[in-house]
Amino acid sequence: MKDCIFCKILRKEIPSEFIYEDEHCFAINDINPKAKKHILVIPKEHIESLNEIKDFEIVKKLFEAISKINIKENISHFKTLINTGAKAGQEVMHLHIHVLSD
Ligand code: AMP
Ligand code: ZN
């Protein structure tokens, strides 16, 4: 998607450090962290939100990625959050899972 921040990051049009990447997803540190560690786990495919998922295999891939990231980043306790829809606080309209750990 042309004007999507996360698609731009994936295309390297906006600089960001990838802390994880596989065939289906990637992860970056949130630019405005709300916890000591605040990671965003993002599908490479531009899916607007949880409401637009057609093939739920991607949900499995995202949580597999979270599991690998947590081992890599030594995260043992954490919260996940998926804002879905602007009224729920979703600012970036490209599905992402927040992983928050203090
Ligand atoms: P949400 O409100 O669930 O859509 O969350 C969007 C998140 O993306 C917010 O926590 C922002 O701080 C974060 N964010 C926005 N732009 C960037 C960026 N360029 N790099 C990293 N995180 C970003
Ligand atoms: Zn996108």
Side-chain angles (χ1 to χ4, degrees), residues 28-32 34 40 83 89-92 96 98:
I28 56 174
N29 287 312
D30 197 292
I31 205 167
N32 182 20
K34 296 180 183 67
L40 302 174
N83 293 322
Q90 184 178 2
E91 288 172 8
V92 178
H96 51 285
H98 297 257

Side-chain angles (χ1 to χ4, degrees), residues 19-46:
I19 59 169
Y20 175 85
E21 183 175 10
D22 64 29
E23 198 189 332
H24 304 281
C25 14
F26 64 105
I28 56 174
N29 287 312
D30 197 292
I31 205 167
N32 182 20
K34 296 180 183 67
K36 215 179 274 173
K37 286 208 177 195
H38 186 167
I39 295 165
L40 302 174
V41 186
I42 308 166
K44 288 186 171 176
E45 185 188 348
H46 180 89

Side-chain angles (χ1 to χ4, degrees), residues 13 19 28 31 33 37 40 45 50 57 60 66 76 78 81 95 100:
E13 291 168 19
I19 59 169
I28 56 174
I31 205 167
K37 286 208 177 195
L40 302 174
E45 185 188 348
L50 214 50
E57 195 60 27
K60 185 177 160 210
I66 289 173
S76 59
F78 63 98
L81 173 72
L95 175 66
L100 299 132

Side-chain angles (χ1 to χ4, degrees), residues 1 4 6-7 46 93-94:
M1 171 75 75
C4 166
F6 293 161
C7 287
H46 180 89
M93 293 300 162
H94 179 140

Side-chain angles (χ1 to χ4, degrees), residues 78-90:
F78 63 98
K79 293 177 187 177
T80 55
L81 173 72
I82 306 174
N83 293 322
T84 304
K87 285 183 182 168
Q90 184 178 2

